[in-house]
Amino acid sequence: MSLPIILALAFLGSLFLIFLISRMGTATLRAGSRQMAGEIESSLADAFVFVNRQKTAAWSTVVMIMLPVLAFLLSHSILIALAAVPVALTLPKKTLRRMRKKRIETLEKQLPDALLMMSGALRAGASFPTALEAVVQESSAPISQEFDLLMREIRLGIDLDIAMRNVEKRIPIPDFLMMTAAVTIAREVGGNLAEALESVARTLREKIQMDGKIRALTSQGRMQGIVMTCLPLFLMLVLRFMEPKAMAPLFNEPVGWATLAVIGVMECLGYLSISKITNIDV
């Protein structure tokens, strides 16, 4: 077999291999974006935010592709572009986690007032479903959405214990477990449900006040963690534009890449350590 034929076969084989790798990469990217879109859609539906799965998959794919490209265009460094790939892959889930956390924090703040409203309605002689309806009408989202769904399940004939457990799955916070325990005990053993709900509301309000005091006392430590983490990165970027020749080995040579890896690991460890110290759970 002559040399030109061998070279032609090798060239065609290389093209075929590149085509297979690109198809596999595209299929993997599509499958990953669909799976991520499904998780985001179901999680947002639990938060009463309804989106289209195709649009969610499209936006997730755009974010995963455009963020590394944008990092490369701004920095002109393949290393920084590769470092932006994990950030792009985790950005949609982190955004979703942030949305769920914000919703749960709002629920925790609204729950004591809602329990006091239910207690007042029960003291006035209303039944438990009527008290729930009063909370739904007088409260704002998201607590009104959760209690409205609870009220609808009770009206459909679902047992109260099962309906309360469904709410516990949607709202995985210890504060709501106290309300569920109070309702269950008052239903099985007997007692004044209004006083039990009022006691739970008073306890939750004191807990929220304690959380606020702790966050105020630890705010300086959290800010120090953010400043100490961002300051070396900011100085690195400033020196990159002020002294490009002096900073070039840091981004273009293996020793510089290893130094950047060590800096990244130390930055993450320092931020996590400070976050762990300032995160005090009550």
Side-chain angles (χ1 to χ4, degrees), residues 62-128:
V62 168
V63 170
M64 288 187 293
I65 294 175
M66 291 303 298
L67 189 60
V69 173
L70 184 61
F72 177 75
L73 293 177
L74 293 176
S75 63
H76 301 286
S77 175
I78 299 179
L79 183 63
I80 297 179
L82 293 176
V85 172
V87 178
L89 294 176
T90 58
L91 185 61
K93 292 185 177 180
K94 285 186 176 296
T95 304
L96 174 62
R97 193 178 298 116
R98 177 60 182 171
M99 293 174 61
R100 289 180 60 86
K101 183 180 179 181
K102 186 176 180 180
R103 177 181 174 85
I104 290 176
E105 290 177 353
T106 307
L107 284 168
E108 289 179 343
K109 294 178 181 179
Q110 291 179 329
L111 188 57
D113 295 333
L115 294 181
L116 289 177
M117 292 174 60
M118 291 178 61
S119 176
L122 292 174
R123 288 182 185 276
S127 61
F128 186 76

Side-chain angles (χ1 to χ4, degrees), residues 159-177:
D159 188 70
L160 180 59
D161 294 337
I162 298 176
M164 297 290 284
R165 283 197 294 269
N166 292 335
V167 181
E168 290 177 4
K169 294 178 182 179
R170 296 192 301 269
I171 313 176
I173 56 176
D175 298 349
F176 193 82
L177 298 179

Side-chain angles (χ1 to χ4, degrees), residues 181-199:
V183 174
T184 304
I185 292 173
R187 187 184 179 192
E188 295 179 354
V189 180
N192 194 338
L193 180 57
E195 291 183 0
L197 293 178
E198 186 176 354
S199 177

Side-chain angles (χ1 to χ4, degrees), residues 57-276:
W59 280 108
S60 301
T61 306
V62 168
V63 170
M64 288 187 293
I65 294 175
M66 291 303 298
L67 189 60
V69 173
L70 184 61
F72 177 75
L73 293 177
L74 293 176
S75 63
H76 301 286
S77 175
I78 299 179
L79 183 63
I80 297 179
L82 293 176
V85 172
V87 178
L89 294 176
T90 58
L91 185 61
K93 292 185 177 180
K94 285 186 176 296
T95 304
L96 174 62
R97 193 178 298 116
R98 177 60 182 171
M99 293 174 61
R100 289 180 60 86
K101 183 180 179 181
K102 186 176 180 180
R103 177 181 174 85
I104 290 176
E105 290 177 353
T106 307
L107 284 168
E108 289 179 343
K109 294 178 181 179
Q110 291 179 329
L111 188 57
D113 295 333
L115 294 181
L116 289 177
M117 292 174 60
M118 291 178 61
S119 176
L122 292 174
R123 288 182 185 276
S127 61
F128 186 76
T130 306
L132 279 178
E133 186 176 0
V135 173
V136 171
Q137 294 177 355
E138 299 296 333
S139 301
S140 59
I143 193 70
S144 60
Q145 296 172 338
E146 297 292 345
F147 278 12
D148 184 36
L149 187 56
L150 174 62
M151 183 179 62
R152 292 175 184 271
E153 290 181 351
I154 294 174
R155 287 178 176 176
L156 289 174
I158 299 177
D159 188 70
L160 180 59
D161 294 337
I162 298 176
M164 297 290 284
R165 283 197 294 269
N166 292 335
V167 181
E168 290 177 4
K169 294 178 182 179
R170 296 192 301 269
I171 313 176
I173 56 176
D175 298 349
F176 193 82
L177 298 179
M178 297 176 63
M179 172 188 168
T180 305
V183 174
T184 304
I185 292 173
R187 187 184 179 192
E188 295 179 354
V189 180
N192 194 338
L193 180 57
E195 291 183 0
L197 293 178
E198 186 176 354
S199 177
V200 171
R202 186 166 54 251
T203 303
L204 294 181
R205 184 163 291 175
E206 292 176 355
K207 178 179 177 294
I208 291 173
Q209 292 177 356
M210 183 62 67
D211 288 337
K213 292 180 180 178
I214 292 175
R215 289 185 61 85
L217 293 174
T218 57
S219 60
Q220 183 179 358
R222 292 196 304 272
M223 183 57 65
Q224 287 177 351
I226 295 174
V227 171
M228 292 177 64
T229 303
C230 296
L231 186 59
L233 302 178
F234 177 74
L235 290 177
M236 188 184 302
L237 292 177
V238 171
L239 292 175
R240 168 75 171 174
F241 289 101
M242 292 180 62
E243 297 291 339
K245 293 183 179 180
M247 296 294 292
L250 187 63
F251 298 96
N252 300 327
E253 296 183 4
V255 177
W257 299 343
T259 304
L260 288 176
V262 173
I263 291 173
V265 172
M266 298 300 291
E267 287 280 331
C268 292
L269 291 178
Y271 180 76
L272 292 176
S273 299
I274 295 176
S275 300
K276 190 68 175 179

